[in-house]
PDB file of all heavy atoms in Angstrom:
ATOM      1  N   HIS A 539       7.844   0.682 -11.121  1.00  0.00           N
ATOM      2  CA  HIS A 539       7.079  -0.520 -10.790  1.00  0.00           C
ATOM      3  C   HIS A 539       8.031  -1.456 -10.003  1.00  0.00           C
ATOM      4  O   HIS A 539       9.232  -1.581 -10.324  1.00  0.00           O
ATOM      5  CB  HIS A 539       6.590  -1.220 -12.094  1.00  0.00           C
ATOM      6  CG  HIS A 539       5.672  -2.384 -11.800  1.00  0.00           C
ATOM      7  ND1 HIS A 539       6.146  -3.658 -11.499  1.00  0.00           N
ATOM      8  CD2 HIS A 539       4.307  -2.411 -11.720  1.00  0.00           C
ATOM      9  CE1 HIS A 539       5.139  -4.441 -11.257  1.00  0.00           C
ATOM     10  NE2 HIS A 539       4.015  -3.717 -11.435  1.00  0.00           N
ATOM     11  N   HIS A 541       8.666  -4.519 -10.024  1.00  0.00           N
ATOM     12  CA  HIS A 541       9.426  -5.397 -10.938  1.00  0.00           C
ATOM     13  C   HIS A 541      10.739  -4.757 -11.402  1.00  0.00           C
ATOM     14  O   HIS A 541      11.803  -5.350 -11.517  1.00  0.00           O
ATOM     15  CB  HIS A 541       8.626  -5.844 -12.186  1.00  0.00           C
ATOM     16  CG  HIS A 541       7.964  -7.130 -11.918  1.00  0.00           C
ATOM     17  ND1 HIS A 541       7.309  -7.791 -12.879  1.00  0.00           N
ATOM     18  CD2 HIS A 541       7.861  -7.869 -10.768  1.00  0.00           C
ATOM     19  CE1 HIS A 541       6.790  -8.812 -12.391  1.00  0.00           C
ATOM     20  NE2 HIS A 541       7.122  -8.881 -11.132  1.00  0.00           N
ATOM     21  N   ASP A 542      10.516  -3.510 -11.840  1.00  0.00           N
ATOM     22  CA  ASP A 542      11.675  -2.739 -12.407  1.00  0.00           C
ATOM     23  C   ASP A 542      12.659  -2.387 -11.316  1.00  0.00           C
ATOM     24  O   ASP A 542      13.826  -2.428 -11.530  1.00  0.00           O
ATOM     25  CB  ASP A 542      11.128  -1.572 -13.150  1.00  0.00           C
ATOM     26  CG  ASP A 542      10.239  -1.982 -14.359  1.00  0.00           C
ATOM     27  OD1 ASP A 542      10.663  -2.893 -15.067  1.00  0.00           O
ATOM     28  OD2 ASP A 542       9.171  -1.422 -14.522  1.00  0.00           O
ATOM     29  N   GLN A 545      14.600  -5.444 -10.629  1.00  0.00           N
ATOM     30  CA  GLN A 545      15.559  -5.748 -11.781  1.00  0.00           C
ATOM     31  C   GLN A 545      16.836  -4.933 -11.622  1.00  0.00           C
ATOM     32  O   GLN A 545      17.913  -5.397 -11.823  1.00  0.00           O
ATOM     33  CB  GLN A 545      14.822  -5.490 -13.095  1.00  0.00           C
ATOM     34  CG  GLN A 545      15.659  -6.000 -14.235  1.00  0.00           C
ATOM     35  CD  GLN A 545      15.282  -7.477 -14.531  1.00  0.00           C
ATOM     36  OE1 GLN A 545      14.141  -7.812 -14.764  1.00  0.00           O
ATOM     37  NE2 GLN A 545      16.302  -8.377 -14.575  1.00  0.00           N
ATOM     38  N   HIS A 558       3.040  -9.679  -5.505  1.00  0.00           N
ATOM     39  CA  HIS A 558       1.933  -9.439  -4.509  1.00  0.00           C
ATOM     40  C   HIS A 558       2.140 -10.291  -3.213  1.00  0.00           C
ATOM     41  O   HIS A 558       1.322 -10.306  -2.402  1.00  0.00           O
ATOM     42  CB  HIS A 558       0.602  -9.868  -5.215  1.00  0.00           C
ATOM     43  CG  HIS A 558       0.576 -11.229  -5.796  1.00  0.00           C
ATOM     44  ND1 HIS A 558       0.741 -12.349  -5.098  1.00  0.00           N
ATOM     45  CD2 HIS A 558       0.347 -11.601  -7.087  1.00  0.00           C
ATOM     46  CE1 HIS A 558       0.684 -13.371  -5.908  1.00  0.00           C
ATOM     47  NE2 HIS A 558       0.417 -12.938  -7.137  1.00  0.00           N
ATOM     48  N   GLY A 571      -0.881  -2.975  -6.900  1.00  0.00           N
ATOM     49  CA  GLY A 571      -0.884  -4.295  -7.530  1.00  0.00           C
ATOM     50  C   GLY A 571       0.259  -5.172  -7.054  1.00  0.00           C
ATOM     51  O   GLY A 571       0.230  -6.340  -6.981  1.00  0.00           O
TER      52      GLY A 571
ATOM     53  N   TYR B  14      16.019  -2.581 -20.988  1.00  0.00           N
ATOM     54  CA  TYR B  14      15.258  -1.330 -21.040  1.00  0.00           C
ATOM     55  C   TYR B  14      15.711  -0.483 -22.183  1.00  0.00           C
ATOM     56  O   TYR B  14      16.434   0.577 -21.919  1.00  0.00           O
ATOM     57  CB  TYR B  14      15.406  -0.623 -19.671  1.00  0.00           C
ATOM     58  CG  TYR B  14      14.903  -1.339 -18.473  1.00  0.00           C
ATOM     59  CD1 TYR B  14      15.728  -1.818 -17.509  1.00  0.00           C
ATOM     60  CD2 TYR B  14      13.520  -1.629 -18.400  1.00  0.00           C
ATOM     61  CE1 TYR B  14      15.235  -2.470 -16.402  1.00  0.00           C
ATOM     62  CE2 TYR B  14      13.051  -2.319 -17.323  1.00  0.00           C
ATOM     63  CZ  TYR B  14      13.846  -2.744 -16.325  1.00  0.00           C
ATOM     64  OH  TYR B  14      13.348  -3.411 -15.255  1.00  0.00           O
ATOM     65  N   PRO B  44      -0.263 -14.181 -12.749  1.00  0.00           N
ATOM     66  CA  PRO B  44      -0.482 -14.615 -11.387  1.00  0.00           C
ATOM     67  C   PRO B  44       0.788 -14.542 -10.509  1.00  0.00           C
ATOM     68  O   PRO B  44       0.782 -14.438  -9.314  1.00  0.00           O
ATOM     69  CB  PRO B  44      -0.928 -16.037 -11.479  1.00  0.00           C
ATOM     70  CG  PRO B  44      -0.552 -16.435 -12.792  1.00  0.00           C
ATOM     71  CD  PRO B  44      -0.447 -15.240 -13.744  1.00  0.00           C
ATOM     72  N   CYS B  46       3.125 -12.072 -10.489  1.00  0.00           N
ATOM     73  CA  CYS B  46       3.536 -10.749  -9.948  1.00  0.00           C
ATOM     74  C   CYS B  46       2.356  -9.781  -9.705  1.00  0.00           C
ATOM     75  O   CYS B  46       2.509  -8.770  -9.213  1.00  0.00           O
ATOM     76  CB  CYS B  46       4.489 -10.122 -10.952  1.00  0.00           C
ATOM     77  SG  CYS B  46       3.745  -9.934 -12.518  1.00  0.00           S
ATOM     78  N   GLY B  71       1.036  -2.446 -14.414  1.00  0.00           N
ATOM     79  CA  GLY B  71       2.081  -3.410 -14.571  1.00  0.00           C
ATOM     80  C   GLY B  71       3.383  -2.802 -14.694  1.00  0.00           C
ATOM     81  O   GLY B  71       3.547  -1.537 -14.667  1.00  0.00           O
ATOM     82  N   SER B  73       7.238  -1.853 -16.453  1.00  0.00           N
ATOM     83  CA  SER B  73       7.620  -1.219 -17.705  1.00  0.00           C
ATOM     84  C   SER B  73       7.497  -2.147 -18.865  1.00  0.00           C
ATOM     85  O   SER B  73       7.105  -1.785 -19.999  1.00  0.00           O
ATOM     86  CB  SER B  73       9.004  -0.637 -17.625  1.00  0.00           C
ATOM     87  OG  SER B  73       9.953  -1.628 -17.290  1.00  0.00           O
ATOM     88  N   ARG B 146      11.164 -12.292 -17.179  1.00  0.00           N
ATOM     89  CA  ARG B 146      10.383 -11.149 -17.633  1.00  0.00           C
ATOM     90  C   ARG B 146       9.581 -11.501 -18.933  1.00  0.00           C
ATOM     91  O   ARG B 146       8.822 -10.616 -19.382  1.00  0.00           O
ATOM     92  CB  ARG B 146      11.260  -9.935 -17.832  1.00  0.00           C
ATOM     93  CG  ARG B 146      12.126  -9.483 -16.640  1.00  0.00           C
ATOM     94  CD  ARG B 146      11.246  -9.182 -15.370  1.00  0.00           C
ATOM     95  NE  ARG B 146      10.437  -7.965 -15.542  1.00  0.00           N
ATOM     96  CZ  ARG B 146      10.865  -6.742 -15.273  1.00  0.00           C
ATOM     97  NH1 ARG B 146      12.122  -6.556 -14.933  1.00  0.00           N
ATOM     98  NH2 ARG B 146      10.052  -5.686 -15.425  1.00  0.00           N
TER      99      ARG B 146
END
Side-chain angles (χ1 to χ4, degrees):
Chain A
H539 190 276
H541 267 187
D542 296 316
Q545 191 87 56
H558 55 59
Chain B
Y14 298 117
C46 58
S73 59
R146 305 301 293 274

